[in-house]
Structures are given as structure tokens and as C-alpha cells.
Amino acid sequence: MAVQQNLPAAACVYKGFGFEGRLAVVTGGARGLGRAIADALQAAGAEVHAFDWDVAGAENVPFQVHKVDVSNSESVNAAVAALPRPPELLVNNAGITRDKRIVNMSDADWQAVIGVNLTGAFNLIRAAAPGMSAAGYGRIVNIASINGIRGKFGQANYTAAKAGLIGLTKTAARELGAKGVTVNAVAPGMILTDMTQALDEQFRQKALDETVLKALPAANDLANAVMFFLSDAAKFVTGQVMKVDSGQYI
Ligand code: NAI
């Protein structure tokens, strides 16, 4: 299955979203879903900063890319402090998988996945929340997964991290709401990116069989949901989880 590239036509859709002058941080923004989200925000007029561990291949992107390990709070705090001003829009998208059955999962497999997918989002929210609270405005979107809601064979570390991310989303929404900050999560089903292209074809076929729309979403389809949560169209929506999964998990 070919990875669907970001479509210029889709980028035009985001013009008029009103993000001009807003500073956005997208973790894991150098490729995959993060890249599509960063492209959409850029097209909508935001000043986009991608925080990514692996910056190779992202030299020519139309936004700024910073080498940051989201699982390391010192790396995150330094990167946020070095921005020209505090971020108003934050998308916690960086994620990794290290799939194994529980009985075969090492301490390192467990900790690495929790560290990036869950602690990484915590580190960013903690670093960005004071600036958003002071400004009385902020939008945070966390990228979870349908597997964090339903569980998945071979993904104890990943599903625990994504379920934890949903809990973090709801608590952050409660803590920051009075300061004008919304916090929501998007839970994708299988979307064609480098992460899922690395899987055996049988797993992509199984996901396709699970869908009710009989097609897998592309990165732009996920970016649309993120842009909704970031926009003023969703200014009274907080603490929510929206699945974008072609009906894989109804
Ligand atoms: P990807 O592997 O294509 O991209 C992930 C990005 O995160 C990469 O640019 C990588 O360098 C970066 N990253 C990894 N560790 C990092 C760290 N410690 N610090 C900073 N950046 C780091 O993955 P993809 O598919 O784009 O996934 C993005 C998010 O969406 C992840 O959170 C993933 O769990 C989630 N997701 C993806 C699905 C899919 O089908 N592709 C389904 C459900 C959730």
C-alpha cells in the first residue's frame, strides 16, 4: 500500500482557519502524521516549530525543525525556553512502538514507549502550560490511538501509554480550562505512514477489513481532526477524544 502524500489541494482548505501570528509546536513533526499536521498549520498561517528526535530529511520543510527528545524533560524545557515566544498551539504527536507480547517485553521496551508517548506529552504540557495560562489562551491536542481504548495484542507498552495519554488529556483539560486552554485527543485507527508501512502487509489488511468505510485514512484526514480541535470552531470542546479510524473501532 502506498503512503498517500500530503496534498497541496488539502493545504488550501486550511487557509482562513485564523492561526496567523499563533506559535505552534508539533512534536514528531519531521515526518508522518506530525508532518501533515505541521504542513496544515503552516498553510493556515501559524508559525510552526517541529520538535523531533530525528531531523534527518527535514532540511527543506517550510517550517522550523528543532532536535528535541520529548522523553527528556531537560531537552523539552530548553527547547520551549528557546522559542521566540511561548507556544499557543501544541500538538503532542511524537510516538514510537516496540511491539512484543507481555511475557517477552523487556524493561527497556516498556520504558522507551511510555517515555516517548506518555511522558513526552506530559513534559510538553508542563513546559507550555504556564505561557498559555498567562496569555489566557491555548490549544493542546494529544495524538492517542484506538488501541489505547480497546487494547491490542502485542502492544502492552503502547496501549498503556495511549490510555494514559487520554487520562492526561482529561486532567489537563480540568486543570487548564479556567485559563482559557482546551485539551483534547485524537485517536487514529491505522493510517498509512512510515510507522505502519513498516508492519507486515497482513496487519494493514486486517485493519482495512475492520473498517466500515472500507478504506484507510491518510495523514491529511487525521490533520483535519487536529485542526478542528485547534480552531475556534472547537472553542467550547475540551477533554474529548475523537476517533479518526474509518469506523475500525465502533
Ligand atoms: P512516524 O514513526 O512516522 O513518526 C513519528 C515521529 O516521532 C518521527 O518523526 C520520529 O522521529 C518522532 N519521534 C520519535 N521519538 C521521538 C522523541 N523521543 N522525541 C521527539 N520526536 C520523536 O509515526 P506516525 O505514524 O506519524 O505516528 C504519529 C503519532 O500517531 C504517534 O504518536 C503514533 O503513536 C500515533 N498513531 C499513528 C497511527 C498510524 O496508523 N500511523 C495509528 C494510531 C496512532
Side-chain angles (χ1 to χ4, degrees):
M1 252 179 255
V3 174
Q4 188 169 334
Q5 299 301 320
N6 301 325
L7 303 173
C12 298
V13 168
Y14 304 121
K15 287 199 173 121
F17 262 66
F19 293 129
E20 289 81 6
R22 300 285 191 205
L23 192 146
V25 169
V26 180
T27 71
R31 67 164 195 249
L33 302 182
R35 171 72 199 273
I37 295 163
D39 280 340
L41 279 165
Q42 184 78 20
E47 176 183 335
V48 179
H49 295 260
F51 286 5
D52 204 298
W53 173 242
D54 180 6
V55 298
E59 295 85 5
N60 298 319
V61 298
F63 47 82
Q64 300 183 55
V65 183
H66 310 263
K67 188 170 174 62
V68 181
D69 176 2
V70 298
S71 68
N72 180 315
S73 61
E74 288 179 12
S75 174
V76 168
N77 292 341
V80 170
L83 291 168
R85 56 189 190 282
E88 294 144 319
L89 313 172
L90 168 64
V91 182
N92 285 306
N93 161 83
I96 60 169
T97 53
R98 288 200 189 170
D99 296 355
K100 287 193 182 73
R101 294 168 61 206
I102 292 170
V103 292
N104 296 326
M105 189 171 283
S106 68
D107 291 355
D109 292 331
W110 174 265
Q111 283 156 5
V113 172
I114 299 288
V116 176
N117 295 275
L118 179 56
T119 308
F122 168 75
N123 287 338
L124 264 298
I125 293 172
R126 186 175 58 181
M132 293 180 178
S133 298
Y137 170 88
R139 300 274 186 269
I140 300 172
V141 178
N142 298 318
I143 308 302
S145 166
I146 59 168
N147 292 340
I149 305 170
R150 67 180 183 175
K152 182 81 171 175
F153 188 100
Q155 287 199 316
N157 48 5
Y158 184 80
T159 56
K162 295 301 192 184
L165 190 54
I166 291 171
L168 174 62
T169 300
K170 294 178 181 178
T171 294
R174 287 184 180 276
E175 291 191 7
L176 300 174
K179 304 291 186 185
V181 180
T182 67
V183 189
N184 292 288
V186 175
M190 184 172 289
I191 297 182
L192 296 176
T193 65
D194 289 348
M195 182 185 270
T196 50
Q197 286 291 114
L199 297 169
D200 276 355
E201 177 60 29
Q202 57 170 315
F203 295 113
R204 283 191 296 277
Q205 189 59 50
K206 183 164 183 289
L208 184 60
D209 292 343
E210 286 175 349
T211 65
V212 299
L213 297 175
K214 295 302 162 206
L216 292 175
N220 283 322
D221 300 307
L222 190 280
N224 288 337
V226 175
M227 294 294 279
F228 167 68
F229 278 141
L230 293 174
S231 76
D232 278 351
K235 66 183 171 190
F236 286 106
V237 181
T238 195
Q240 301 305 305
V241 183
M242 189 200 295
K243 298 188 203 96
V244 178
D245 69 342
S246 195
Q248 244 187 291
Y249 181 45
I250 293 176

PDB file of all heavy atoms in Angstrom, residues 91-121:
ATOM      1  N   VAL A  91       0.741  20.333  19.705  1.00  0.00           N
ATOM      2  CA  VAL A  91       0.270  19.011  19.279  1.00  0.00           C
ATOM      3  C   VAL A  91       1.295  17.977  19.713  1.00  0.00           C
ATOM      4  O   VAL A  91       2.433  17.968  19.227  1.00  0.00           O
ATOM      5  CB  VAL A  91       0.054  18.947  17.747  1.00  0.00           C
ATOM      6  CG1 VAL A  91      -0.488  17.570  17.357  1.00  0.00           C
ATOM      7  CG2 VAL A  91      -0.903  20.045  17.290  1.00  0.00           C
ATOM      8  N   ASN A  92       0.905  17.133  20.661  1.00  0.00           N
ATOM      9  CA  ASN A  92       1.777  16.058  21.137  1.00  0.00           C
ATOM     10  C   ASN A  92       1.550  14.833  20.263  1.00  0.00           C
ATOM     11  O   ASN A  92       0.604  14.061  20.482  1.00  0.00           O
ATOM     12  CB  ASN A  92       1.467  15.746  22.610  1.00  0.00           C
ATOM     13  CG  ASN A  92       2.018  16.807  23.524  1.00  0.00           C
ATOM     14  OD1 ASN A  92       3.204  17.122  23.474  1.00  0.00           O
ATOM     15  ND2 ASN A  92       1.160  17.380  24.352  1.00  0.00           N
ATOM     16  N   ASN A  93       2.428  14.691  19.273  1.00  0.00           N
ATOM     17  CA  ASN A  93       2.260  13.650  18.255  1.00  0.00           C
ATOM     18  C   ASN A  93       3.389  12.619  18.268  1.00  0.00           C
ATOM     19  O   ASN A  93       3.209  11.507  17.787  1.00  0.00           O
ATOM     20  CB  ASN A  93       2.173  14.340  16.881  1.00  0.00           C
ATOM     21  CG  ASN A  93       2.461  13.402  15.732  1.00  0.00           C
ATOM     22  OD1 ASN A  93       1.591  12.667  15.280  1.00  0.00           O
ATOM     23  ND2 ASN A  93       3.713  13.389  15.263  1.00  0.00           N
ATOM     24  N   ALA A  94       4.568  12.967  18.820  1.00  0.00           N
ATOM     25  CA  ALA A  94       5.711  12.038  18.757  1.00  0.00           C
ATOM     26  C   ALA A  94       5.334  10.705  19.392  1.00  0.00           C
ATOM     27  O   ALA A  94       4.737  10.663  20.469  1.00  0.00           O
ATOM     28  CB  ALA A  94       6.921  12.637  19.481  1.00  0.00           C
ATOM     29  N   GLY A  95       5.680   9.632  18.708  1.00  0.00           N
ATOM     30  CA  GLY A  95       5.349   8.313  19.236  1.00  0.00           C
ATOM     31  C   GLY A  95       6.230   7.243  18.633  1.00  0.00           C
ATOM     32  O   GLY A  95       6.747   7.402  17.517  1.00  0.00           O
ATOM     33  N   ILE A  96       6.406   6.177  19.382  1.00  0.00           N
ATOM     34  CA  ILE A  96       7.152   5.013  18.892  1.00  0.00           C
ATOM     35  C   ILE A  96       6.408   3.744  19.315  1.00  0.00           C
ATOM     36  O   ILE A  96       5.565   3.785  20.206  1.00  0.00           O
ATOM     37  CB  ILE A  96       8.597   4.954  19.450  1.00  0.00           C
ATOM     38  CG1 ILE A  96       8.590   4.883  20.984  1.00  0.00           C
ATOM     39  CG2 ILE A  96       9.415   6.138  18.957  1.00  0.00           C
ATOM     40  CD1 ILE A  96       9.965   4.554  21.578  1.00  0.00           C
ATOM     41  N   THR A  97       6.745   2.652  18.637  1.00  0.00           N
ATOM     42  CA  THR A  97       6.230   1.336  19.051  1.00  0.00           C
ATOM     43  C   THR A  97       7.406   0.392  19.264  1.00  0.00           C
ATOM     44  O   THR A  97       8.448   0.526  18.597  1.00  0.00           O
ATOM     45  CB  THR A  97       5.317   0.713  17.973  1.00  0.00           C
ATOM     46  OG1 THR A  97       6.014   0.711  16.718  1.00  0.00           O
ATOM     47  CG2 THR A  97       4.023   1.478  17.818  1.00  0.00           C
ATOM     48  N   ARG A  98       7.255  -0.515  20.199  1.00  0.00           N
ATOM     49  CA  ARG A  98       8.168  -1.656  20.347  1.00  0.00           C
ATOM     50  C   ARG A  98       7.295  -2.840  20.747  1.00  0.00           C
ATOM     51  O   ARG A  98       7.164  -3.143  21.923  1.00  0.00           O
ATOM     52  CB  ARG A  98       9.231  -1.392  21.406  1.00  0.00           C
ATOM     53  CG  ARG A  98      10.278  -0.380  20.986  1.00  0.00           C
ATOM     54  CD  ARG A  98      11.525  -0.526  21.824  1.00  0.00           C
ATOM     55  NE  ARG A  98      12.442   0.558  21.566  1.00  0.00           N
ATOM     56  CZ  ARG A  98      13.529   0.789  22.288  1.00  0.00           C
ATOM     57  NH1 ARG A  98      13.834   0.002  23.299  1.00  0.00           N
ATOM     58  NH2 ARG A  98      14.332   1.791  21.997  1.00  0.00           N
ATOM     59  N   ASP A  99       6.678  -3.459  19.735  1.00  0.00           N
ATOM     60  CA  ASP A  99       5.645  -4.458  19.985  1.00  0.00           C
ATOM     61  C   ASP A  99       6.237  -5.813  20.386  1.00  0.00           C
ATOM     62  O   ASP A  99       7.122  -6.344  19.695  1.00  0.00           O
ATOM     63  CB  ASP A  99       4.793  -4.655  18.724  1.00  0.00           C
ATOM     64  CG  ASP A  99       4.024  -3.403  18.323  1.00  0.00           C
ATOM     65  OD1 ASP A  99       4.074  -2.404  19.063  1.00  0.00           O
ATOM     66  OD2 ASP A  99       3.364  -3.452  17.270  1.00  0.00           O
ATOM     67  N   LYS A 100       5.722  -6.353  21.467  1.00  0.00           N
ATOM     68  CA  LYS A 100       6.039  -7.731  21.894  1.00  0.00           C
ATOM     69  C   LYS A 100       4.933  -8.181  22.832  1.00  0.00           C
ATOM     70  O   LYS A 100       4.284  -7.342  23.472  1.00  0.00           O
ATOM     71  CB  LYS A 100       7.371  -7.794  22.649  1.00  0.00           C
ATOM     72  CG  LYS A 100       8.608  -7.631  21.794  1.00  0.00           C
ATOM     73  CD  LYS A 100       9.872  -8.027  22.559  1.00  0.00           C
ATOM     74  CE  LYS A 100      11.104  -7.820  21.696  1.00  0.00           C
ATOM     75  NZ  LYS A 100      11.431  -6.391  21.542  1.00  0.00           N
ATOM     76  N   ARG A 101       4.732  -9.492  22.951  1.00  0.00           N
ATOM     77  CA  ARG A 101       3.819  -9.991  23.981  1.00  0.00           C
ATOM     78  C   ARG A 101       4.391  -9.638  25.351  1.00  0.00           C
ATOM     79  O   ARG A 101       5.614  -9.521  25.515  1.00  0.00           O
ATOM     80  CB  ARG A 101       3.650 -11.500  23.858  1.00  0.00           C
ATOM     81  CG  ARG A 101       2.943 -11.903  22.565  1.00  0.00           C
ATOM     82  CD  ARG A 101       3.062 -13.391  22.340  1.00  0.00           C
ATOM     83  NE  ARG A 101       2.440 -14.136  23.434  1.00  0.00           N
ATOM     84  CZ  ARG A 101       2.789 -15.367  23.800  1.00  0.00           C
ATOM     85  NH1 ARG A 101       3.784 -15.987  23.181  1.00  0.00           N
ATOM     86  NH2 ARG A 101       2.154 -15.976  24.775  1.00  0.00           N
ATOM     87  N   ILE A 102       3.514  -9.495  26.334  1.00  0.00           N
ATOM     88  CA  ILE A 102       3.936  -9.058  27.672  1.00  0.00           C
ATOM     89  C   ILE A 102       5.074  -9.927  28.208  1.00  0.00           C
ATOM     90  O   ILE A 102       6.057  -9.406  28.758  1.00  0.00           O
ATOM     91  CB  ILE A 102       2.733  -9.078  28.645  1.00  0.00           C
ATOM     92  CG1 ILE A 102       1.732  -7.979  28.243  1.00  0.00           C
ATOM     93  CG2 ILE A 102       3.184  -8.892  30.097  1.00  0.00           C
ATOM     94  CD1 ILE A 102       0.399  -8.055  28.963  1.00  0.00           C
ATOM     95  N   VAL A 103       4.955 -11.219  28.030  1.00  0.00           N
ATOM     96  CA  VAL A 103       5.963 -12.117  28.623  1.00  0.00           C
ATOM     97  C   VAL A 103       7.335 -11.943  27.971  1.00  0.00           C
ATOM     98  O   VAL A 103       8.350 -12.341  28.546  1.00  0.00           O
ATOM     99  CB  VAL A 103       5.525 -13.600  28.549  1.00  0.00           C
ATOM    100  CG1 VAL A 103       4.341 -13.838  29.466  1.00  0.00           C
ATOM    101  CG2 VAL A 103       5.206 -14.009  27.109  1.00  0.00           C
ATOM    102  N   ASN A 104       7.384 -11.388  26.793  1.00  0.00           N
ATOM    103  CA  ASN A 104       8.666 -11.176  26.100  1.00  0.00           C
ATOM    104  C   ASN A 104       9.128  -9.720  26.127  1.00  0.00           C
ATOM    105  O   ASN A 104      10.159  -9.389  25.539  1.00  0.00           O
ATOM    106  CB  ASN A 104       8.547 -11.615  24.632  1.00  0.00           C
ATOM    107  CG  ASN A 104       8.282 -13.091  24.502  1.00  0.00           C
ATOM    108  OD1 ASN A 104       8.772 -13.882  25.314  1.00  0.00           O
ATOM    109  ND2 ASN A 104       7.503 -13.473  23.513  1.00  0.00           N
ATOM    110  N   MET A 105       8.363  -8.858  26.785  1.00  0.00           N
ATOM    111  CA  MET A 105       8.667  -7.422  26.732  1.00  0.00           C
ATOM    112  C   MET A 105       9.716  -7.064  27.791  1.00  0.00           C
ATOM    113  O   MET A 105       9.528  -7.345  28.978  1.00  0.00           O
ATOM    114  CB  MET A 105       7.383  -6.615  26.938  1.00  0.00           C
ATOM    115  CG  MET A 105       7.563  -5.136  26.679  1.00  0.00           C
ATOM    116  SD  MET A 105       5.991  -4.265  26.685  1.00  0.00           S
ATOM    117  CE  MET A 105       5.316  -4.699  25.086  1.00  0.00           C
ATOM    118  N   SER A 106      10.798  -6.444  27.347  1.00  0.00           N
ATOM    119  CA  SER A 106      11.882  -6.074  28.273  1.00  0.00           C
ATOM    120  C   SER A 106      11.537  -4.771  29.005  1.00  0.00           C
ATOM    121  O   SER A 106      10.655  -4.018  28.574  1.00  0.00           O
ATOM    122  CB  SER A 106      13.190  -5.887  27.504  1.00  0.00           C
ATOM    123  OG  SER A 106      13.084  -4.746  26.676  1.00  0.00           O
ATOM    124  N   ASP A 107      12.264  -4.499  30.087  1.00  0.00           N
ATOM    125  CA  ASP A 107      12.109  -3.222  30.785  1.00  0.00           C
ATOM    126  C   ASP A 107      12.337  -2.063  29.806  1.00  0.00           C
ATOM    127  O   ASP A 107      11.620  -1.057  29.831  1.00  0.00           O
ATOM    128  CB  ASP A 107      13.131  -3.097  31.929  1.00  0.00           C
ATOM    129  CG  ASP A 107      12.842  -4.048  33.079  1.00  0.00           C
ATOM    130  OD1 ASP A 107      11.805  -4.741  33.047  1.00  0.00           O
ATOM    131  OD2 ASP A 107      13.674  -4.104  34.012  1.00  0.00           O
ATOM    132  N   ALA A 108      13.359  -2.221  28.957  1.00  0.00           N
ATOM    133  CA  ALA A 108      13.701  -1.138  28.016  1.00  0.00           C
ATOM    134  C   ALA A 108      12.577  -0.900  27.012  1.00  0.00           C
ATOM    135  O   ALA A 108      12.256   0.256  26.684  1.00  0.00           O
ATOM    136  CB  ALA A 108      14.999  -1.472  27.289  1.00  0.00           C
ATOM    137  N   ASP A 109      11.941  -1.988  26.528  1.00  0.00           N
ATOM    138  CA  ASP A 109      10.811  -1.841  25.591  1.00  0.00           C
ATOM    139  C   ASP A 109       9.664  -1.085  26.254  1.00  0.00           C
ATOM    140  O   ASP A 109       9.027  -0.223  25.650  1.00  0.00           O
ATOM    141  CB  ASP A 109      10.277  -3.218  25.158  1.00  0.00           C
ATOM    142  CG  ASP A 109      11.248  -3.991  24.298  1.00  0.00           C
ATOM    143  OD1 ASP A 109      12.040  -3.365  23.583  1.00  0.00           O
ATOM    144  OD2 ASP A 109      11.200  -5.242  24.340  1.00  0.00           O
ATOM    145  N   TRP A 110       9.383  -1.458  27.488  1.00  0.00           N
ATOM    146  CA  TRP A 110       8.287  -0.811  28.233  1.00  0.00           C
ATOM    147  C   TRP A 110       8.586   0.671  28.440  1.00  0.00           C
ATOM    148  O   TRP A 110       7.786   1.546  28.116  1.00  0.00           O
ATOM    149  CB  TRP A 110       8.092  -1.529  29.569  1.00  0.00           C
ATOM    150  CG  TRP A 110       7.093  -0.856  30.466  1.00  0.00           C
ATOM    151  CD1 TRP A 110       7.357   0.042  31.459  1.00  0.00           C
ATOM    152  CD2 TRP A 110       5.666  -1.000  30.426  1.00  0.00           C
ATOM    153  NE1 TRP A 110       6.185   0.472  32.038  1.00  0.00           N
ATOM    154  CE2 TRP A 110       5.135  -0.149  31.434  1.00  0.00           C
ATOM    155  CE3 TRP A 110       4.777  -1.744  29.644  1.00  0.00           C
ATOM    156  CZ2 TRP A 110       3.765  -0.044  31.677  1.00  0.00           C
ATOM    157  CZ3 TRP A 110       3.402  -1.631  29.892  1.00  0.00           C
ATOM    158  CH2 TRP A 110       2.913  -0.792  30.895  1.00  0.00           C
ATOM    159  N   GLN A 111       9.781   0.937  28.985  1.00  0.00           N
ATOM    160  CA  GLN A 111      10.102   2.313  29.385  1.00  0.00           C
ATOM    161  C   GLN A 111      10.259   3.242  28.184  1.00  0.00           C
ATOM    162  O   GLN A 111       9.878   4.417  28.247  1.00  0.00           O
ATOM    163  CB  GLN A 111      11.363   2.313  30.261  1.00  0.00           C
ATOM    164  CG  GLN A 111      11.020   1.853  31.670  1.00  0.00           C
ATOM    165  CD  GLN A 111      12.194   1.272  32.437  1.00  0.00           C
ATOM    166  OE1 GLN A 111      13.322   1.285  31.938  1.00  0.00           O
ATOM    167  NE2 GLN A 111      11.927   0.764  33.623  1.00  0.00           N
ATOM    168  N   ALA A 112      10.823   2.730  27.101  1.00  0.00           N
ATOM    169  CA  ALA A 112      11.020   3.596  25.930  1.00  0.00           C
ATOM    170  C   ALA A 112       9.682   4.081  25.384  1.00  0.00           C
ATOM    171  O   ALA A 112       9.516   5.270  25.061  1.00  0.00           O
ATOM    172  CB  ALA A 112      11.788   2.850  24.845  1.00  0.00           C
ATOM    173  N   VAL A 113       8.723   3.187  25.289  1.00  0.00           N
ATOM    174  CA  VAL A 113       7.423   3.546  24.700  1.00  0.00           C
ATOM    175  C   VAL A 113       6.627   4.451  25.642  1.00  0.00           C
ATOM    176  O   VAL A 113       6.022   5.442  25.198  1.00  0.00           O
ATOM    177  CB  VAL A 113       6.640   2.271  24.304  1.00  0.00           C
ATOM    178  CG1 VAL A 113       5.221   2.617  23.879  1.00  0.00           C
ATOM    179  CG2 VAL A 113       7.381   1.556  23.174  1.00  0.00           C
ATOM    180  N   ILE A 114       6.640   4.141  26.938  1.00  0.00           N
ATOM    181  CA  ILE A 114       5.979   5.037  27.905  1.00  0.00           C
ATOM    182  C   ILE A 114       6.680   6.401  27.882  1.00  0.00           C
ATOM    183  O   ILE A 114       6.034   7.456  27.935  1.00  0.00           O
ATOM    184  CB  ILE A 114       6.031   4.435  29.334  1.00  0.00           C
ATOM    185  CG1 ILE A 114       5.297   3.094  29.391  1.00  0.00           C
ATOM    186  CG2 ILE A 114       5.473   5.444  30.357  1.00  0.00           C
ATOM    187  CD1 ILE A 114       3.800   3.148  29.311  1.00  0.00           C
ATOM    188  N   GLY A 115       7.998   6.378  27.788  1.00  0.00           N
ATOM    189  CA  GLY A 115       8.786   7.616  27.851  1.00  0.00           C
ATOM    190  C   GLY A 115       8.472   8.585  26.731  1.00  0.00           C
ATOM    191  O   GLY A 115       8.357   9.793  26.954  1.00  0.00           O
ATOM    192  N   VAL A 116       8.342   8.084  25.512  1.00  0.00           N
ATOM    193  CA  VAL A 116       8.070   8.976  24.376  1.00  0.00           C
ATOM    194  C   VAL A 116       6.574   9.314  24.306  1.00  0.00           C
ATOM    195  O   VAL A 116       6.185  10.477  24.264  1.00  0.00           O
ATOM    196  CB  VAL A 116       8.527   8.346  23.040  1.00  0.00           C
ATOM    197  CG1 VAL A 116       8.141   9.252  21.868  1.00  0.00           C
ATOM    198  CG2 VAL A 116      10.033   8.094  23.059  1.00  0.00           C
ATOM    199  N   ASN A 117       5.725   8.295  24.311  1.00  0.00           N
ATOM    200  CA  ASN A 117       4.291   8.505  24.036  1.00  0.00           C
ATOM    201  C   ASN A 117       3.540   9.180  25.185  1.00  0.00           C
ATOM    202  O   ASN A 117       2.587   9.913  24.944  1.00  0.00           O
ATOM    203  CB  ASN A 117       3.602   7.170  23.714  1.00  0.00           C
ATOM    204  CG  ASN A 117       4.102   6.534  22.432  1.00  0.00           C
ATOM    205  OD1 ASN A 117       3.652   6.842  21.357  1.00  0.00           O
ATOM    206  ND2 ASN A 117       5.079   5.647  22.560  1.00  0.00           N
ATOM    207  N   LEU A 118       3.929   8.901  26.424  1.00  0.00           N
ATOM    208  CA  LEU A 118       3.181   9.447  27.562  1.00  0.00           C
ATOM    209  C   LEU A 118       3.980  10.521  28.307  1.00  0.00           C
ATOM    210  O   LEU A 118       3.528  11.665  28.436  1.00  0.00           O
ATOM    211  CB  LEU A 118       2.785   8.312  28.523  1.00  0.00           C
ATOM    212  CG  LEU A 118       2.017   8.736  29.780  1.00  0.00           C
ATOM    213  CD1 LEU A 118       0.754   9.518  29.444  1.00  0.00           C
ATOM    214  CD2 LEU A 118       1.673   7.504  30.620  1.00  0.00           C
ATOM    215  N   THR A 119       5.187  10.170  28.765  1.00  0.00           N
ATOM    216  CA  THR A 119       5.982  11.171  29.494  1.00  0.00           C
ATOM    217  C   THR A 119       6.312  12.346  28.580  1.00  0.00           C
ATOM    218  O   THR A 119       6.371  13.492  29.026  1.00  0.00           O
ATOM    219  CB  THR A 119       7.271  10.527  30.036  1.00  0.00           C
ATOM    220  OG1 THR A 119       6.911   9.345  30.759  1.00  0.00           O
ATOM    221  CG2 THR A 119       8.020  11.469  30.961  1.00  0.00           C
ATOM    222  N   GLY A 120       6.525  12.062  27.296  1.00  0.00           N
ATOM    223  CA  GLY A 120       6.813  13.142  26.342  1.00  0.00           C
ATOM    224  C   GLY A 120       5.708  14.181  26.329  1.00  0.00           C
ATOM    225  O   GLY A 120       5.963  15.392  26.370  1.00  0.00           O
ATOM    226  N   ALA A 121       4.456  13.732  26.274  1.00  0.00           N
ATOM    227  CA  ALA A 121       3.324  14.675  26.260  1.00  0.00           C
ATOM    228  C   ALA A 121       3.250  15.429  27.582  1.00  0.00           C
ATOM    229  O   ALA A 121       3.004  16.643  27.599  1.00  0.00           O
ATOM    230  CB  ALA A 121       2.030  13.916  25.990  1.00  0.00           C
TER     231      ALA A 121
END
